[in-house]
Amino acid sequence: MRLLQTAIIVFTAIILSEQSFAQIVDTPSNMNINADSLRRELDNAPYFGLYKDNYFIFGTSVGSKPSKQNTNIKFQISIAQRLTKSVLPFNSYLFLFYTQKAFWNVLEKSMPMTDLNFNPGIGLAKHLFIKNRYIGKLQLILEHESNGKDGINSRSWNKVSFGGNILIDPQVMVHAKFWIPIIDGGENRDILDYAGIYQMGTSFMSPGRRFGASVILTKRRGWNLNYNFVIELNYRIFRRDNQYLFLQYYNGYGEGLLEFKQFHSQLRVGLVIKPRLFSDY
């Protein structure tokens, strides 16, 4: 329960921080603006904010009979701390991030947290402009991921990631992320066969950012067309806030570190808090 209390406190801090953040590129009219002005706005924005989506969702297995073992809560907390303004070479900035993903079997006796995944990192990000039009950002990240266990349940790996988020227009974004793995966990030497070697996807946001949809594909190692995929739908509850009703469908391997070799087909619904600019993946 202490972990749940901590999660609630962090979620509250995230909501307050994000609601106070200026909506820099929240409408189509803001896509064509002076690049220097937007850079100043980014430099003056709060140093603390969201990194990836922050969500709390509940659901069960698709394709097999629901049970206490395959019905659970999945939640993710993801935050970033900007360390510099755009004073580094190429007007990039340095940031720290931390993402924690948990699987909570609330229907089982004692309601165990069956898997906790910790993902800290440090990276460089550069915002991109073409003819005074903001089109997204590039990132170079050194990240670690582990589940904090020892013995045969230990899972751990590192990767150097290069990724980008590109706005095709104000409503459509494409993204991709490639990584160089550094696998130090003795119990997950074959993790690339399940958790993948790169990912790509696209997201759509309706005018006014009321409704959104996204697809994320992660290529597992090998020459076959073997992908993990995620489909997400979200609907903004109140027009002035950034909390959304959220549906997520996960199909594939590697959803969590502990059971990365097990296939999961899970449908869950709940709430998500999304970053102002766009979600990182």
Side-chain angles (χ1 to χ4, degrees):
M1 295 304 293
R2 184 173 299 175
L3 177 62
L4 179 60
Q5 292 172 349
T6 303
I8 292 173
I9 293 172
V10 173
F11 268 108
T12 302
I14 287 169
I15 291 172
L16 295 175
S17 174
E18 286 297 301
Q19 287 181 341
S20 66
F21 180 49
Q23 298 183 20
I24 298 170
V25 289
D26 208 26
T27 62
S29 61
N30 284 335
M31 296 304 296
N32 293 282
I33 62 176
N34 183 273
D36 291 333
S37 297
L38 177 55
R39 192 173 291 115
R40 285 194 297 270
E41 291 289 339
L42 291 167
D43 284 346
N44 293 328
Y47 278 79
F48 172 82
L50 298 188
Y51 179 56
K52 300 180 180 180
D53 285 349
N54 287 253
Y55 55 76
F56 194 89
I57 51 180
F58 173 80
T60 190
S61 177
V62 175
S64 59
K65 184 178 179 180
S67 67
K68 294 180 180 180
Q69 288 71 41
N70 62 22
T71 302
N72 60 17
I73 286 175
K74 176 184 177 183
F75 66 85
Q76 177 172 282
I77 298 172
S78 185
I79 55 177
Q81 175 71 29
R82 180 163 53 89
L83 300 178
T84 67
K85 296 185 178 182
S86 55
V87 297
L88 299 178
F90 308 106
N91 293 313
S92 61
Y93 62 90
L94 183 68
F95 68 97
L96 292 171
F97 72 84
Y98 176 76
T99 300
Q100 181 172 308
K101 183 168 58 178
F103 298 86
W104 185 13
N105 283 28
V106 293
L107 300 184
E108 291 190 59
K109 186 177 180 180
S110 79
M111 298 190 297
M113 293 280 184
T114 56
D115 194 13
L116 293 173
N117 298 173
F118 308 95
N119 180 208
I122 185 170
L124 290 168
K126 174 178 172 52
H127 292 279
L128 302 175
F129 303 88
I130 293 181
K131 297 180 179 180
N132 275 339
R133 180 175 181 266
Y134 180 73
I135 63 166
K137 68 177 179 180
L138 299 176
Q139 297 186 108
L140 177 64
I141 305 170
L142 175 62
E143 54 185 306
H144 169 79
E145 188 175 19
S146 63
N147 65 349
K149 296 182 180 292
D150 56 13
I152 62 173
N153 290 322
S154 175
R155 309 283 187 268
S156 176
W157 67 318
N158 308 286
K159 53 188 175 182
V160 179
S161 303
F162 178 76
N165 302 280
I166 304 298
L167 292 161
I168 303 301
D169 63 36
Q171 277 75 54
V172 180
M173 183 192 77
V174 295
H175 59 87
K177 184 177 180 181
F178 305 85
W179 48 80
I180 301 172
I182 306 169
I183 302 173
D184 55 357
E187 301 298 328
N188 54 266
R189 293 292 182 183
D190 56 349
I191 193 169
L192 298 181
D193 296 336
Y194 300 91
I197 54 177
Y198 68 83
Q199 71 179 34
M200 58 185 178
T202 185
S203 62
F204 165 80
M205 188 67 70
S206 66
R209 301 175 67 86
R210 196 71 189 267
F211 171 78
S214 65
V215 177
I216 306 105
L217 300 174
T218 302
K219 177 66 174 69
R220 302 195 296 272
R221 183 165 57 184
W223 294 106
N224 297 329
L225 295 177
N226 50 354
Y227 286 87
N228 305 324
F229 70 88
V230 183
I231 298 174
E232 297 178 341
L233 303 175
N234 53 266
Y235 179 79
R236 181 184 280 183
I237 303 172
F238 303 108
R239 291 185 180 275
R240 299 178 63 88
D241 295 331
N242 67 331
Q243 291 89 56
Y244 298 78
L245 296 175
F246 187 53
L247 181 147
Q248 183 190 79
Y249 174 59
Y250 189 98
N251 183 279
Y253 299 86
E255 185 179 24
L257 284 178
L258 184 61
E259 298 180 342
F260 72 95
K261 293 185 179 182
Q262 295 188 22
F263 177 82
H264 290 98
S265 180
Q266 299 285 139
L267 182 67
R268 301 182 180 94
V269 296
L271 295 174
V272 64
I273 306 170
K274 303 184 76 67
R276 286 296 187 185
L277 293 177
F278 42 69
S279 300
D280 281 286
Y281 296 96

Coordinates of all heavy atoms in Angstrom, one line a residue, residues 207-277:
P207 N -8.8 17.7 -34.1 CA -8.8 19.1 -33.9 C -9.3 19.4 -32.5 O -10.4 18.9 -32.1 CB -9.6 19.7 -35.0 CG -9.6 18.7 -36.1 CD -9.5 17.3 -35.4
G208 N -8.6 20.3 -31.7 CA -9.0 20.6 -30.4 C -8.5 19.6 -29.4 O -8.7 19.7 -28.2
R209 N -7.8 18.5 -29.9 CA -7.2 17.5 -29.1 C -8.1 16.8 -28.1 O -7.8 16.4 -27.0 CB -6.0 18.1 -28.3 CG -4.9 18.7 -29.2 CD -3.9 19.4 -28.4 NE -3.1 18.5 -27.6 CZ -2.0 17.8 -28.0 NH1 -1.6 18.0 -29.3 NH2 -1.3 17.0 -27.3
R210 N -9.4 16.6 -28.5 CA -10.4 15.9 -27.7 C -10.2 14.4 -27.8 O -10.4 13.7 -26.8 CB -11.8 16.4 -28.1 CG -12.8 16.0 -27.1 CD -12.7 17.0 -25.9 NE -13.5 16.6 -24.7 CZ -14.7 17.1 -24.5 NH1 -15.3 18.0 -25.3 NH2 -15.4 16.7 -23.4
F211 N -9.9 13.9 -29.0 CA -9.8 12.4 -29.2 C -8.5 12.1 -29.8 O -8.0 12.8 -30.6 CB -11.0 12.0 -30.1 CG -10.8 10.5 -30.5 CD1 -11.1 9.5 -29.7 CD2 -10.3 10.2 -31.8 CE1 -11.0 8.2 -30.1 CE2 -10.1 8.9 -32.2 CZ -10.5 7.9 -31.3
G212 N -7.9 11.0 -29.4 CA -6.6 10.6 -29.9 C -6.6 9.1 -30.1 O -7.3 8.3 -29.4
A213 N -5.7 8.6 -31.0 CA -5.5 7.2 -31.2 C -4.0 7.0 -31.6 O -3.4 7.9 -32.2 CB -6.4 6.7 -32.3
S214 N -3.5 5.9 -31.2 CA -2.1 5.6 -31.6 C -1.9 4.1 -31.8 O -2.6 3.3 -31.2 CB -1.1 6.1 -30.5 OG -1.3 5.4 -29.3
V215 N -0.8 3.8 -32.6 CA -0.4 2.4 -32.8 C 1.1 2.4 -32.6 O 1.8 3.2 -33.2 CB -0.8 1.9 -34.2 CG1 -0.2 0.5 -34.4 CG2 -2.3 1.9 -34.4
I216 N 1.6 1.4 -31.8 CA 3.0 1.3 -31.6 C 3.4 -0.1 -32.0 O 2.8 -1.1 -31.5 CB 3.4 1.6 -30.1 CG1 2.9 2.9 -29.7 CG2 4.9 1.5 -30.0 CD1 1.7 2.9 -28.8
L217 N 4.4 -0.3 -32.8 CA 4.9 -1.6 -33.3 C 6.4 -1.7 -32.8 O 7.2 -0.8 -33.0 CB 4.9 -1.7 -34.8 CG 3.6 -1.6 -35.5 CD1 3.7 -1.5 -37.0 CD2 2.6 -2.7 -35.1
T218 N 6.7 -2.9 -32.2 CA 8.0 -3.2 -31.7 C 8.5 -4.4 -32.4 O 7.9 -5.5 -32.3 CB 8.1 -3.4 -30.2 OG1 7.6 -2.2 -29.6 CG2 9.5 -3.6 -29.8
K219 N 9.6 -4.3 -33.2 CA 10.1 -5.5 -34.0 C 11.0 -6.4 -33.1 O 12.0 -5.9 -32.5 CB 10.9 -4.9 -35.1 CG 11.6 -6.0 -36.0 CD 10.6 -6.9 -36.7 CE 11.2 -7.9 -37.7 NZ 12.0 -9.0 -36.9
R220 N 10.6 -7.6 -33.0 CA 11.4 -8.6 -32.2 C 12.5 -9.1 -33.1 O 12.4 -9.0 -34.4 CB 10.5 -9.8 -31.8 CG 9.3 -9.4 -30.9 CD 8.7 -10.6 -30.2 NE 8.1 -11.6 -31.1 CZ 6.9 -11.5 -31.6 NH1 6.1 -10.5 -31.2 NH2 6.4 -12.5 -32.4
R221 N 13.6 -9.5 -32.5 CA 14.8 -9.9 -33.3 C 14.4 -11.1 -34.2 O 13.7 -12.0 -33.8 CB 15.9 -10.3 -32.3 CG 17.2 -10.6 -33.1 CD 18.4 -10.6 -32.1 NE 18.2 -11.5 -31.0 CZ 19.1 -11.7 -30.0 NH1 20.2 -10.9 -30.0 NH2 18.9 -12.5 -29.0
G222 N 15.0 -11.1 -35.4 CA 14.7 -12.1 -36.4 C 14.2 -11.5 -37.7 O 13.9 -10.3 -37.8
W223 N 14.3 -12.3 -38.8 CA 13.9 -11.9 -40.1 C 12.4 -12.0 -40.3 O 11.9 -11.5 -41.3 CB 14.7 -12.7 -41.1 CG 16.1 -12.4 -41.1 CD1 17.1 -13.2 -40.6 CD2 16.8 -11.2 -41.5 NE1 18.3 -12.6 -40.7 CE2 18.2 -11.4 -41.3 CE3 16.4 -10.0 -42.1 CZ2 19.1 -10.4 -41.6 CZ3 17.3 -9.0 -42.4 CH2 18.7 -9.2 -42.1
N224 N 11.7 -12.7 -39.5 CA 10.2 -12.8 -39.7 C 9.5 -11.5 -39.3 O 10.1 -10.6 -38.7 CB 9.7 -13.9 -38.8 CG 10.2 -15.3 -39.2 OD1 10.6 -15.5 -40.3 ND2 10.4 -16.2 -38.2
L225 N 8.3 -11.4 -39.8 CA 7.5 -10.2 -39.5 C 6.8 -10.4 -38.1 O 5.6 -10.5 -37.9 CB 6.4 -10.0 -40.5 CG 6.9 -9.6 -41.9 CD1 5.7 -9.5 -42.9 CD2 7.7 -8.3 -41.9
N226 N 7.7 -10.5 -37.1 CA 7.3 -10.7 -35.7 C 7.3 -9.4 -34.9 O 8.4 -9.0 -34.5 CB 8.2 -11.8 -35.1 CG 9.7 -11.5 -35.2 OD1 10.0 -10.5 -35.9 ND2 10.5 -12.3 -34.6
Y227 N 6.2 -8.9 -34.7 CA 6.0 -7.6 -34.0 C 5.2 -7.7 -32.8 O 4.2 -8.4 -32.8 CB 5.4 -6.5 -34.9 CG 6.3 -6.0 -36.0 CD1 6.4 -6.6 -37.2 CD2 7.0 -4.8 -35.8 CE1 7.2 -6.2 -38.2 CE2 7.9 -4.3 -36.8 CZ 8.0 -5.0 -38.0 OH 8.8 -4.5 -39.0
N228 N 5.5 -7.0 -31.7 CA 4.6 -6.7 -30.6 C 3.9 -5.4 -31.1 O 4.5 -4.5 -31.6 CB 5.3 -6.5 -29.3 CG 6.2 -7.6 -28.9 OD1 5.9 -8.8 -29.2 ND2 7.4 -7.3 -28.3
F229 N 2.6 -5.4 -30.8 CA 1.9 -4.1 -31.1 C 1.0 -3.7 -30.0 O 0.4 -4.5 -29.2 CB 1.2 -4.2 -32.4 CG -0.1 -5.1 -32.5 CD1 -1.3 -4.6 -32.1 CD2 0.0 -6.4 -32.8 CE1 -2.4 -5.4 -32.2 CE2 -1.1 -7.2 -32.9 CZ -2.3 -6.7 -32.5
V230 N 0.8 -2.4 -29.9 CA -0.1 -1.7 -28.9 C -1.0 -0.8 -29.7 O -0.6 0.0 -30.5 CB 0.7 -0.9 -27.9 CG1 -0.2 -0.4 -26.8 CG2 1.8 -1.8 -27.2
I231 N -2.3 -0.9 -29.4 CA -3.3 0.1 -29.9 C -3.9 0.9 -28.7 O -4.3 0.2 -27.7 CB -4.4 -0.6 -30.6 CG1 -3.9 -1.4 -31.9 CG2 -5.5 0.3 -31.1 CD1 -4.9 -2.2 -32.6
E232 N -3.9 2.2 -28.8 CA -4.4 3.0 -27.7 C -5.4 4.0 -28.2 O -5.2 4.6 -29.3 CB -3.2 3.8 -27.0 CG -2.2 2.8 -26.4 CD -1.1 3.5 -25.8 OE1 -0.8 4.7 -26.1 OE2 -0.4 2.9 -24.9
L233 N -6.5 4.2 -27.5 CA -7.5 5.2 -27.7 C -7.7 6.1 -26.5 O -7.6 5.6 -25.4 CB -8.8 4.6 -28.1 CG -8.9 3.6 -29.3 CD1 -10.2 3.0 -29.4 CD2 -8.5 4.3 -30.6
N234 N -7.8 7.4 -26.7 CA -8.0 8.3 -25.5 C -9.0 9.4 -25.9 O -9.1 9.8 -27.0 CB -6.7 8.9 -25.0 CG -5.9 9.5 -26.1 OD1 -5.0 8.9 -26.8 ND2 -6.2 10.8 -26.4
Y235 N -9.8 9.8 -24.8 CA -10.8 10.8 -25.0 C -10.7 11.8 -23.8 O -10.8 11.3 -22.7 CB -12.2 10.2 -25.1 CG -13.3 11.2 -25.2 CD1 -13.6 11.8 -26.5 CD2 -14.1 11.6 -24.1 CE1 -14.6 12.7 -26.6 CE2 -15.1 12.5 -24.3 CZ -15.3 13.1 -25.5 OH -16.3 14.0 -25.7
R236 N -10.5 13.0 -24.1 CA -10.3 14.0 -23.1 C -11.6 14.3 -22.4 O -12.7 14.5 -23.0 CB -9.8 15.4 -23.7 CG -9.6 16.4 -22.7 CD -9.2 17.8 -23.3 NE -7.8 17.8 -23.7 CZ -7.2 18.8 -24.2 NH1 -7.9 19.9 -24.5 NH2 -5.9 18.8 -24.5
I237 N -11.5 14.2 -21.0 CA -12.7 14.3 -20.2 C -13.2 15.8 -20.2 O -14.4 16.0 -20.4 CB -12.5 13.8 -18.8 CG1 -12.0 12.4 -18.8 CG2 -13.7 13.9 -17.9 CD1 -11.5 11.8 -17.5
F238 N -12.3 16.7 -19.9 CA -12.7 18.1 -19.8 C -11.8 18.9 -20.8 O -10.5 18.6 -20.8 CB -12.5 18.7 -18.4 CG -13.3 17.9 -17.4 CD1 -12.7 17.1 -16.5 CD2 -14.7 18.1 -17.3 CE1 -13.4 16.4 -15.5 CE2 -15.4 17.4 -16.4 CZ -14.8 16.5 -15.5
R239 N -12.3 19.8 -21.5 CA -11.6 20.4 -22.6 C -10.3 21.2 -22.1 O -9.4 21.4 -22.9 CB -12.5 21.4 -23.4 CG -13.6 20.7 -24.2 CD -14.4 21.7 -25.0 NE -15.5 21.0 -25.8 CZ -15.3 20.4 -26.9 NH1 -14.1 20.5 -27.5 NH2 -16.3 19.8 -27.6
R240 N -10.3 21.7 -20.9 CA -9.2 22.5 -20.4 C -8.2 21.7 -19.7 O -7.2 22.3 -19.3 CB -9.8 23.6 -19.5 CG -10.8 24.6 -20.2 CD -11.3 25.6 -19.2 NE -10.2 26.5 -18.7 CZ -9.8 27.6 -19.3 NH1 -10.4 28.0 -20.4 NH2 -8.8 28.3 -18.8
D241 N -8.4 20.4 -19.5 CA -7.4 19.6 -18.8 C -6.8 18.6 -19.7 O -7.2 18.4 -20.9 CB -8.1 18.9 -17.7 CG -8.6 19.8 -16.6 OD1 -8.0 20.9 -16.4 OD2 -9.7 19.5 -16.0
N242 N -5.8 17.9 -19.2 CA -5.1 16.9 -20.0 C -5.3 15.4 -19.4 O -4.4 14.6 -19.6 CB -3.6 17.2 -20.2 CG -2.9 17.1 -18.9 OD1 -3.4 17.3 -17.8 ND2 -1.6 16.8 -18.9
Q243 N -6.4 15.2 -18.8 CA -6.7 13.8 -18.3 C -7.7 13.2 -19.3 O -8.7 13.9 -19.7 CB -7.3 13.8 -16.9 CG -6.3 14.2 -15.8 CD -6.3 15.7 -15.6 OE1 -7.3 16.3 -15.3 NE2 -5.1 16.3 -15.7
Y244 N -7.5 12.0 -19.7 CA -8.2 11.3 -20.7 C -8.8 10.0 -20.2 O -8.1 9.3 -19.5 CB -7.4 11.1 -22.0 CG -6.8 12.3 -22.7 CD1 -5.7 12.9 -22.1 CD2 -7.4 12.7 -23.8 CE1 -5.2 14.1 -22.8 CE2 -6.9 13.8 -24.5 CZ -5.8 14.5 -24.0 OH -5.2 15.6 -24.6
L245 N -10.0 9.6 -20.7 CA -10.4 8.2 -20.7 C -9.5 7.4 -21.6 O -9.1 7.9 -22.7 CB -11.8 8.0 -21.1 CG -12.9 8.7 -20.1 CD1 -14.2 8.6 -20.7 CD2 -12.8 8.1 -18.7
F246 N -9.1 6.2 -21.2 CA -8.0 5.6 -21.9 C -8.3 4.1 -22.1 O -8.7 3.4 -21.2 CB -6.7 5.7 -21.1 CG -5.4 5.3 -21.8 CD1 -5.0 5.7 -23.0 CD2 -4.6 4.4 -21.1 CE1 -3.9 5.2 -23.6 CE2 -3.4 3.9 -21.6 CZ -3.0 4.4 -22.9
L247 N -8.0 3.6 -23.3 CA -8.1 2.2 -23.6 C -6.8 1.7 -24.3 O -6.3 2.4 -25.2 CB -9.3 1.9 -24.6 CG -9.5 0.4 -25.0 CD1 -11.0 0.2 -25.2 CD2 -8.8 0.1 -26.3
Q248 N -6.3 0.6 -23.8 CA -5.0 0.1 -24.3 C -5.1 -1.4 -24.6 O -5.6 -2.1 -23.7 CB -3.8 0.3 -23.3 CG -2.5 -0.1 -23.9 CD -1.4 -0.1 -22.8 OE1 -1.3 -1.0 -22.0 NE2 -0.6 0.9 -22.8
Y249 N -4.7 -1.8 -25.8 CA -4.7 -3.2 -26.1 C -3.2 -3.6 -26.5 O -2.6 -3.0 -27.4 CB -5.6 -3.5 -27.3 CG -5.5 -4.9 -27.8 CD1 -5.8 -6.0 -27.0 CD2 -5.0 -5.2 -29.1 CE1 -5.6 -7.3 -27.4 CE2 -4.9 -6.5 -29.6 CZ -5.2 -7.6 -28.7 OH -5.1 -8.9 -29.1
Y250 N -2.7 -4.5 -25.7 CA -1.3 -5.0 -25.9 C -1.4 -6.4 -26.4 O -2.1 -7.3 -25.9 CB -0.6 -5.0 -24.6 CG 0.9 -5.2 -24.7 CD1 1.8 -4.2 -24.8 CD2 1.4 -6.5 -24.9 CE1 3.2 -4.4 -25.0 CE2 2.8 -6.8 -25.1 CZ 3.7 -5.7 -25.1 OH 5.0 -5.9 -25.3
N251 N -0.6 -6.7 -27.5 CA -0.5 -8.0 -28.1 C 0.9 -8.3 -28.4 O 1.5 -7.7 -29.2 CB -1.4 -8.0 -29.4 CG -1.4 -9.4 -30.0 OD1 -0.5 -9.8 -30.7 ND2 -2.5 -10.1 -29.8
G252 N 1.5 -9.3 -27.7 CA 2.8 -9.7 -28.0 C 3.6 -10.1 -26.7 O 3.0 -10.5 -25.7
Y253 N 4.9 -10.1 -26.8 CA 5.8 -10.4 -25.7 C 6.4 -9.2 -25.1 O 6.2 -8.1 -25.6 CB 6.9 -11.4 -26.2 CG 6.4 -12.7 -26.8 CD1 6.0 -12.7 -28.2 CD2 6.3 -13.8 -26.0 CE1 5.6 -13.9 -28.7 CE2 5.8 -15.0 -26.6 CZ 5.5 -15.1 -27.9 OH 5.0 -16.2 -28.4
G254 N 7.1 -9.4 -24.0 CA 7.8 -8.3 -23.4 C 7.0 -7.2 -22.8 O 7.6 -6.1 -22.6
E255 N 5.8 -7.4 -22.4 CA 5.0 -6.3 -21.8 C 5.6 -5.9 -20.4 O 5.7 -4.8 -20.1 CB 3.6 -6.7 -21.6 CG 2.7 -5.6 -21.1 CD 1.2 -6.0 -20.9 OE1 0.9 -7.2 -20.8 OE2 0.4 -5.0 -20.9
G256 N 6.1 -6.9 -19.7 CA 6.8 -6.7 -18.4 C 8.1 -7.5 -18.4 O 8.2 -8.5 -19.2
L257 N 9.0 -7.1 -17.6 CA 10.3 -7.8 -17.6 C 10.3 -9.2 -17.1 O 10.9 -10.1 -17.6 CB 11.4 -7.0 -16.8 CG 11.9 -5.7 -17.5 CD1 12.9 -5.0 -16.6 CD2 12.6 -6.1 -18.8
L258 N 9.5 -9.4 -16.0 CA 9.6 -10.7 -15.3 C 9.1 -11.8 -16.2 O 9.7 -12.9 -16.3 CB 8.7 -10.7 -14.0 CG 8.8 -11.9 -13.2 CD1 10.2 -12.2 -12.7 CD2 7.8 -11.8 -12.0
E259 N 8.0 -11.6 -17.0 CA 7.4 -12.6 -17.9 C 7.6 -12.2 -19.3 O 6.7 -12.4 -20.1 CB 6.0 -12.8 -17.6 CG 5.7 -13.2 -16.1 CD 4.2 -13.4 -15.9 OE1 3.4 -12.8 -16.6 OE2 3.8 -14.1 -14.9
F260 N 8.8 -11.7 -19.7 CA 9.1 -11.2 -21.0 C 8.9 -12.3 -22.1 O 8.7 -12.0 -23.2 CB 10.4 -10.5 -21.1 CG 11.6 -11.4 -21.1 CD1 12.2 -11.8 -22.2 CD2 12.2 -11.8 -19.9 CE1 13.3 -12.6 -22.2 CE2 13.3 -12.6 -19.8 CZ 13.9 -13.0 -21.0
K261 N 9.1 -13.5 -21.7 CA 9.0 -14.6 -22.7 C 7.6 -15.1 -22.9 O 7.3 -16.0 -23.7 CB 9.9 -15.8 -22.3 CG 11.4 -15.5 -22.3 CD 12.1 -16.8 -22.0 CE 13.6 -16.5 -22.0 NZ 14.4 -17.8 -21.8
Q262 N 6.6 -14.6 -22.1 CA 5.2 -15.1 -22.2 C 4.4 -14.1 -23.1 O 4.5 -12.9 -23.0 CB 4.6 -15.2 -20.8 CG 5.3 -16.2 -19.9 CD 4.5 -16.4 -18.6 OE1 3.3 -16.1 -18.5 NE2 5.1 -16.9 -17.6
F263 N 3.6 -14.7 -23.9 CA 2.7 -14.0 -24.8 C 1.6 -13.4 -24.0 O 1.0 -14.1 -23.2 CB 2.2 -14.9 -25.9 CG 1.2 -14.2 -26.9 CD1 1.7 -13.4 -27.9 CD2 -0.1 -14.3 -26.7 CE1 0.8 -12.7 -28.7 CE2 -1.0 -13.7 -27.5 CZ -0.5 -12.9 -28.5
H264 N 1.3 -12.1 -24.3 CA 0.1 -11.5 -23.6 C -0.7 -10.8 -24.6 O -0.3 -10.1 -25.6 CB 0.6 -10.4 -22.6 CG 1.3 -11.0 -21.4 ND1 2.6 -11.1 -21.2 CD2 0.7 -11.5 -20.2 CE1 2.9 -11.6 -20.1 NE2 1.8 -11.9 -19.4
S265 N -2.0 -11.0 -24.5 CA -3.0 -10.3 -25.2 C -4.0 -9.7 -24.2 O -4.9 -10.4 -23.7 CB -3.8 -11.2 -26.2 OG -4.7 -10.5 -27.0
Q266 N -3.8 -8.4 -23.9 CA -4.5 -7.8 -22.8 C -5.2 -6.5 -23.2 O -4.7 -5.7 -23.9 CB -3.5 -7.4 -21.7 CG -2.7 -8.6 -21.1 CD -3.5 -9.4 -20.1 OE1 -3.5 -10.6 -20.1 NE2 -4.3 -8.7 -19.3
L267 N -6.5 -6.4 -22.8 CA -7.3 -5.2 -23.0 C -7.6 -4.5 -21.7 O -8.1 -5.2 -20.8 CB -8.6 -5.5 -23.7 CG -9.5 -4.4 -24.1 CD1 -8.9 -3.5 -25.1 CD2 -10.9 -4.9 -24.5
R268 N -7.2 -3.3 -21.5 CA -7.4 -2.6 -20.3 C -8.0 -1.2 -20.5 O -7.7 -0.6 -21.6 CB -6.1 -2.4 -19.5 CG -5.4 -3.8 -19.2 CD -4.1 -3.5 -18.4 NE -3.4 -4.7 -18.0 CZ -2.4 -5.3 -18.7 NH1 -2.0 -4.7 -19.8 NH2 -1.8 -6.4 -18.3
V269 N -8.7 -0.6 -19.6 CA -9.3 0.7 -19.7 C -9.0 1.4 -18.4 O -8.8 0.8 -17.3 CB -10.8 0.7 -19.9 CG1 -11.1 0.0 -21.3 CG2 -11.5 -0.1 -18.8
G270 N -9.0 2.8 -18.4 CA -8.8 3.5 -17.2 C -8.6 5.0 -17.6 O -9.2 5.5 -18.5
L271 N -7.6 5.6 -16.9 CA -7.3 7.1 -17.1 C -5.8 7.2 -17.5 O -5.0 6.5 -17.1 CB -7.6 7.8 -15.8 CG -9.0 7.9 -15.3 CD1 -9.1 8.6 -14.0 CD2 -9.9 8.7 -16.3
V272 N -5.6 8.3 -18.3 CA -4.2 8.6 -18.7 C -4.0 10.1 -18.6 O -4.9 10.9 -18.9 CB -3.9 8.1 -20.1 CG1 -4.7 8.8 -21.2 CG2 -2.4 8.3 -20.4
I273 N -2.8 10.5 -18.1 CA -2.4 11.9 -18.2 C -1.3 12.0 -19.2 O -0.3 11.4 -19.2 CB -1.9 12.4 -16.8 CG1 -2.9 12.1 -15.7 CG2 -1.5 13.9 -16.8 CD1 -2.3 12.2 -14.3
K274 N -1.6 12.9 -20.2 CA -0.7 13.0 -21.4 C 0.1 14.3 -21.3 O -0.4 15.3 -20.9 CB -1.5 12.9 -22.7 CG -2.3 11.6 -22.8 CD -3.0 11.5 -24.1 CE -2.0 11.1 -25.2 NZ -1.5 9.7 -25.1
P275 N 1.4 14.2 -21.8 CA 2.2 15.5 -21.9 C 1.5 16.5 -22.9 O 0.7 16.1 -23.7 CB 3.5 15.0 -22.5 CG 3.6 13.5 -22.2 CD 2.1 13.0 -22.3
R276 N 1.9 17.7 -22.7 CA 1.2 18.8 -23.5 C 1.6 18.7 -25.0 O 0.8 18.9 -25.9 CB 1.6 20.2 -22.9 CG 0.9 20.5 -21.6 CD -0.6 20.7 -21.8 NE -1.2 21.2 -20.6 CZ -2.5 21.3 -20.5 NH1 -3.3 20.9 -21.5 NH2 -3.1 21.7 -19.4
L277 N 2.9 18.6 -25.3 CA 3.4 18.6 -26.7 C 2.9 17.3 -27.4 O 2.1 17.3 -28.3 CB 4.9 18.7 -26.7 CG 5.4 20.1 -26.3 CD1 6.9 20.1 -26.3 CD2 4.9 21.2 -27.1

